[in-house]
Amino acid sequence: MESAVAMPFVQVKKVVAVCFLEAVKLALDQLGAHRLELSQRGVTGTADLPRVYGELRRLRDFLQRSVSSSSDIVDLDLSPGDTGMLVACCRRDVEATELRLVDQAMPPDERTWLQRKRQVVADWAVELAAKPLIDLPLPPMSPTTTEGMRALSVRLQNKVFGDVNERMRIVPPSSSPSSPSFSAGLATPMSAEPVLQGQHPLMPSASADSESTREPVAPLFPHGRIRDPRLRSLAGIELHSYERALMAGDIRLATVLLTSVLECALLDHAVPRRAELGLQGTPDTWNLQELLLKAMGTHVQPKDASLAYHLFSTRNLLRPALQMVTPAVVTQAAFERLREFVVRALRDIGYGEQRATLPPGALRRSDFGAPADPAS
């Protein structure tokens, strides 16, 4: 395969190469279905979709030629980019196999075979993994993460970044300009080394400005427009907490509360329109990311799917078990990007016409590092 930088040959048994081929075909089929769904909704999707689709087709064709040989050992000459794509496909394949094992009843011999295949694919994904780990532009296959996927994520993180207890500690947001920045808004994992209050990246840094001296924060939207009294009350509570978090400079908590505020409005919009939106069951079973994009309708922009995914994933910031495995921090630029998306989404689904703004003293860009794009 053509590449400016070549990797050494990877020799695998033909059965492993066939597993690779099946993983790439699965990802390719899902990517094609995702593109079709977006086009039917009148959404173009992210700019990476056509490129990734083309690269996966090329990788599939290469693997098909490789497994067609009569030898039991297959030589794979993969570029770093192809290897990253293959690892991403293997992760997707492991996730699909996990869901089959959890959700479907099957004969014992088939279950044993799937378990062995899952283990082989996961082991090779870890073996081939290198920086950077690539994520396919696809929504998650399940709203919950299985034990197998969590275990694979830990192995991949340890392979690429090293053991969590030995990784470089994240410096506090108030550090010098020479400190490392995190371009995606979600930083590399932090070490388990204890730090003092005010030095932790997930805590608001100490500031000479006290809460009482900060200017009031403009409301996100008039929550009185929410019709359901329960949701209206919840939205009022969350908005009050959101404003206090911003006054304290805690963008981590403010980001989580942004999600809760938007969910209140989204549920108020969706409950009376169950049939129109094709909703079944109780609200706690709905896929809020997909529901939001459907509710926004023709106002959806190419990067909104990624922004919605990151927004509804921010609740993991309050789950210590997940933060132990894949710790993350929120940068100011990431917060602002998500806040702008929430304001626009609220306006698109019929709540709030005004655009919220932050007072000049509420947050300082120098407090949270370099700009970061949560959708990158």
Side-chain angles (χ1 to χ4, degrees), residues 191-265:
S191 75
E193 179 184 352
V195 291
L196 299 177
Q197 184 175 5
Q199 294 179 326
H200 199 289
L202 302 187
M203 295 180 180
S205 57
S207 172
D209 299 327
S210 65
E211 181 177 338
S212 60
T213 61
R214 297 184 187 272
E215 299 179 24
V217 177
L220 281 171
F221 78 111
H223 70 282
R225 296 185 178 183
I226 295 180
R227 295 173 290 275
D228 187 290
R230 296 166 299 178
L231 293 172
R232 183 168 59 248
S233 176
L234 287 172
I237 295 172
E238 302 290 42
L239 281 169
H240 179 68
S241 299
Y242 164 79
E243 292 166 6
R244 288 183 62 85
L246 281 187
M247 295 290 288
D250 189 349
I251 59 171
R252 180 185 70 103
L253 184 57
T255 304
V256 177
L257 291 167
L258 269 178
T259 310
S260 296
V261 170
L262 179 60
E263 182 175 335
C264 289

Side-chain angles (χ1 to χ4, degrees), residues 228-310:
D228 187 290
R230 296 166 299 178
L231 293 172
R232 183 168 59 248
S233 176
L234 287 172
I237 295 172
E238 302 290 42
L239 281 169
H240 179 68
S241 299
Y242 164 79
E243 292 166 6
R244 288 183 62 85
L246 281 187
M247 295 290 288
D250 189 349
I251 59 171
R252 180 185 70 103
L253 184 57
T255 304
V256 177
L257 291 167
L258 269 178
T259 310
S260 296
V261 170
L262 179 60
E263 182 175 335
C264 289
L266 179 61
L267 292 177
D268 188 66
H269 171 84
V271 168
R273 299 174 175 83
R274 287 173 179 264
E276 177 186 343
L277 296 171
L279 298 173
Q280 297 179 350
T282 56
D284 60 304
T285 64
W286 297 346
N287 186 320
L288 297 180
Q289 177 185 342
E290 294 182 359
L291 177 59
L292 176 61
L293 298 176
K294 187 180 296 184
M296 292 174 68
T298 57
H299 299 286
V300 171
Q301 298 179 9
K303 285 192 174 183
D304 285 353
S306 177
L307 287 168
Y309 170 76
H310 282 280

Side-chain angles (χ1 to χ4, degrees), residues 303-324:
K303 285 192 174 183
D304 285 353
S306 177
L307 287 168
Y309 170 76
H310 282 280
L311 181 69
F312 287 109
S313 298
T314 57
R315 289 168 178 168
N316 293 338
L317 293 168
L318 298 183
R319 297 189 59 189
L322 293 180
Q323 290 301 300
M324 287 177 64

Side-chain angles (χ1 to χ4, degrees), residues 74-376:
V74 178
D75 292 332
L76 300 179
D77 185 12
L78 299 170
S79 71
D82 294 330
T83 304
M85 283 290 182
L86 181 57
V87 171
C89 293
C90 287
R91 292 161 60 193
R92 194 80 179 178
D93 187 77
V94 170
E95 183 179 7
T97 305
E98 281 279 309
L99 294 178
R100 286 183 61 187
L101 291 170
V102 170
D103 299 336
Q104 297 182 13
M106 60 187 66
D109 55 343
E110 182 180 354
R111 177 173 294 275
T112 300
W113 179 81
L114 281 176
Q115 289 172 339
R116 290 177 178 174
K117 178 191 174 187
R118 175 194 59 187
Q119 189 62 49
V120 168
V121 174
D123 289 344
W124 273 103
V126 175
E127 177 68 24
L128 298 175
K131 293 182 181 179
L133 289 175
I134 297 174
D135 286 321
L136 298 175
L138 286 167
M141 298 176 65
S142 171
T144 58
T145 305
T146 64
E147 288 294 333
M149 283 304 298
R150 281 194 287 268
L152 177 57
S153 296
V154 172
R155 294 177 64 193
L156 288 169
Q157 292 285 336
N158 289 342
K159 168 68 183 301
V160 174
F161 298 107
D163 186 85
V164 67
N165 292 320
E166 298 176 358
R167 297 174 195 167
M168 181 175 61
R169 176 177 166 229
I170 293 178
V171 295
S174 58
S175 60
S176 64
S178 60
S179 302
S181 60
F182 309 105
S183 61
L186 298 180
T188 50
M190 61 187 174
S191 75
E193 179 184 352
V195 291
L196 299 177
Q197 184 175 5
Q199 294 179 326
H200 199 289
L202 302 187
M203 295 180 180
S205 57
S207 172
D209 299 327
S210 65
E211 181 177 338
S212 60
T213 61
R214 297 184 187 272
E215 299 179 24
V217 177
L220 281 171
F221 78 111
H223 70 282
R225 296 185 178 183
I226 295 180
R227 295 173 290 275
D228 187 290
R230 296 166 299 178
L231 293 172
R232 183 168 59 248
S233 176
L234 287 172
I237 295 172
E238 302 290 42
L239 281 169
H240 179 68
S241 299
Y242 164 79
E243 292 166 6
R244 288 183 62 85
L246 281 187
M247 295 290 288
D250 189 349
I251 59 171
R252 180 185 70 103
L253 184 57
T255 304
V256 177
L257 291 167
L258 269 178
T259 310
S260 296
V261 170
L262 179 60
E263 182 175 335
C264 289
L266 179 61
L267 292 177
D268 188 66
H269 171 84
V271 168
R273 299 174 175 83
R274 287 173 179 264
E276 177 186 343
L277 296 171
L279 298 173
Q280 297 179 350
T282 56
D284 60 304
T285 64
W286 297 346
N287 186 320
L288 297 180
Q289 177 185 342
E290 294 182 359
L291 177 59
L292 176 61
L293 298 176
K294 187 180 296 184
M296 292 174 68
T298 57
H299 299 286
V300 171
Q301 298 179 9
K303 285 192 174 183
D304 285 353
S306 177
L307 287 168
Y309 170 76
H310 282 280
L311 181 69
F312 287 109
S313 298
T314 57
R315 289 168 178 168
N316 293 338
L317 293 168
L318 298 183
R319 297 189 59 189
L322 293 180
Q323 290 301 300
M324 287 177 64
V325 178
T326 54
V329 296
V330 181
T331 65
Q332 183 196 17
F335 165 74
E336 290 176 348
R337 185 70 177 271
L338 291 175
R339 179 182 59 83
E340 290 171 2
F341 171 66
V342 168
V343 172
R344 180 161 54 84
L346 287 168
R347 185 171 61 249
D348 291 344
I349 64 177
Y351 297 84
E353 297 295 333
Q354 63 188 28
R355 183 177 297 275
T357 56
L358 292 177
L363 294 171
R364 292 196 300 265
R365 180 170 297 273
S366 60
D367 289 338
F368 302 99
D373 184 356
S376 61

